[in-house]
């Protein structure tokens, strides 16, 4: 099967079920596993070079006001890749190319026979369910079952190791300026690791908060995890 993955998490799921060699294209942000090789990028961004998080946020808001997509599908590269299956998402238009843009590109290229698998997990179990869905789409159900079981075993082991420890209050930040708190399944991961998530609610998108809220948090965080979406470690530190 010829697979096009248009978001990093989908690329990892494809590789997790042993189908890396079937990838014919990836997104411009896919960088893991490290041995992906020279696969063509099938998406691009309208954002300029990465500046401060405030400048990036302003650019994104400007594109949204102009009713423009932040990302685009590289149509000629997609045509050349000739995928049988495209994996995309509609969870967050700021994070990756949208399902709508994929459908428009396929229509423009007269590639209506391509199968599209859409991912949109909001809870941790839905992330694992997507592993099953990818495995089914690639006729690799057994590999997907084994990969899911391995992940579930790791989560169970983590819960067991932290069960007897005092819970620590954890704040995760998905963006720095403005401040966005990690939502969706992030509170569940924190709980697995023996913590209690502050502010964010399970299954909800990342809320934007004022910096002043942080000074009045009760309980105050014992741990703050700063993990801006799309930033490598060097950019985060900068």
């Amino acid at each position: 099967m010829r697979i096009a993955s248009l978001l990093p998490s989908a690329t990892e799921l494809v590789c997790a079920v042993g189908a890396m060699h079937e990838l014919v294209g990836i997104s411009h942000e896919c960088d893991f596993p490290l041995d992906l090789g020279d696969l063509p990028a099938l998406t691009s961004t309208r954002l300029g070079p990465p500046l401060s998080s405030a400048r990036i946020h302003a650019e994104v808001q400007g594109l949204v006001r102009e009713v423009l997509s932040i990302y685009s599908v590289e149509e000629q590269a997609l045509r050349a890749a000739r995928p049988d299956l495209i994996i995309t998402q509609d969870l967050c238009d700021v994070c990756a190319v949208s399902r709508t843009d994929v459908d428009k590109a396929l229509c423009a290229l007269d590639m209506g026979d391509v199968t599209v698998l859409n991912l949109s997990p909001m809870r941790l179990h839905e992330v694992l369910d997507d592993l099953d869905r990818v495995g089914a789409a690639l006729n690799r159900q057994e590999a997907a079952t084994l990969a899911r079981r391995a992940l579930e075993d790791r989560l169970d082991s983590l819960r067991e190791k932290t069960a007897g420890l005092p819970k620590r209050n954890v704040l995760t930040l998905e963006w720095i300026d403005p401040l966005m708190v990690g939502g969706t399944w992030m509170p569940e991961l924190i709980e697995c690791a023996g913590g209690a998530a502050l502010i964010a609610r399970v299954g909800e998108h990342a809320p934007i908060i004022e910096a002043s809220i942080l000074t009045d948090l009760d309980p105050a965080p014992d741990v703050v995890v700063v993990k801006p979406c799309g930033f490598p470690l060097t950019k985060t530190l900068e």
Side-chain angles (χ1 to χ4, degrees):
M1 185 176 293
R2 300 176 64 82
I3 307 163
S5 170
L6 303 188
L7 66 157
S9 58
T11 299
E12 292 193 41
L13 293 179
V14 169
C15 295
V17 300
M20 179 190 291
H21 65 283
E22 297 180 33
L23 284 166
V24 295
I26 54 178
S27 81
H28 65 285
E29 293 184 307
C30 293
D31 59 4
F32 189 86
L34 299 178
D35 53 348
L36 282 171
D38 297 323
L39 290 168
L42 305 181
T43 65
S44 59
T45 177
R46 290 189 172 90
L47 297 175
L51 304 168
S52 69
S53 54
R55 288 283 300 277
I56 292 173
H57 182 72
E59 276 194 57
V60 168
Q61 294 305 303
L63 289 170
V64 170
R65 283 193 299 271
E66 295 174 22
V67 198
L68 293 173
S69 298
I70 299 166
Y71 305 100
S72 58
V73 178
E74 294 295 305
E75 293 185 0
Q76 296 312 308
L78 181 61
R79 185 196 297 277
R82 297 182 293 106
D84 303 306
L85 172 71
I86 294 176
I87 308 178
T88 186
Q89 60 89 45
D90 63 3
L91 177 66
C92 175
D93 289 348
V94 176
C95 297
V97 68
S98 70
R99 169 65 189 268
T100 300
D101 289 331
V102 173
D103 289 339
K104 288 179 179 177
L106 290 176
C107 182
L109 295 169
D110 194 21
M111 296 173 64
D113 58 338
V114 176
T115 300
V116 178
L117 176 60
N118 193 59
L119 308 181
S120 188
M122 294 292 290
R123 300 288 300 269
L124 187 54
H125 72 87
E126 293 172 346
V127 176
L128 298 174
D129 289 345
D130 280 345
L131 185 52
D132 290 331
R133 293 176 65 213
V134 169
L138 305 184
N139 296 317
R140 292 175 174 268
Q141 293 93 330
E142 183 177 353
T145 298
L146 292 174
R148 176 172 186 153
R149 190 175 301 155
L151 289 173
E152 290 173 334
D153 287 346
R154 288 173 62 189
L155 290 170
D156 289 341
S157 175
L158 188 58
R159 292 186 184 99
E160 291 173 6
K161 290 176 180 178
T162 60
L165 301 176
K167 280 204 177 288
R168 308 184 76 189
N169 297 308
V170 181
L171 178 71
T172 65
L173 297 176
E174 300 235 325
W175 203 246
I176 300 171
D177 189 3
L179 290 168
M180 298 183 188
V181 180
T184 58
W185 57 84
M186 186 53 57
E188 294 177 279
L189 289 180
I190 291 170
E191 184 177 354
C192 288
L198 298 177
I199 300 179
R201 296 180 182 274
V202 174
E204 296 183 3
H205 285 287
I208 298 177
I209 62 171
E210 297 293 333
S212 58
I213 292 177
L214 299 183
T215 61
D216 300 323
L217 274 183
D218 186 17
D222 301 304
V223 178
V224 178
V225 181
V226 184
K227 49 179 190 62
C229 180
F231 276 19
L233 180 58
T234 51
K235 185 61 182 175
T236 300
L237 290 171
E238 180 187 330

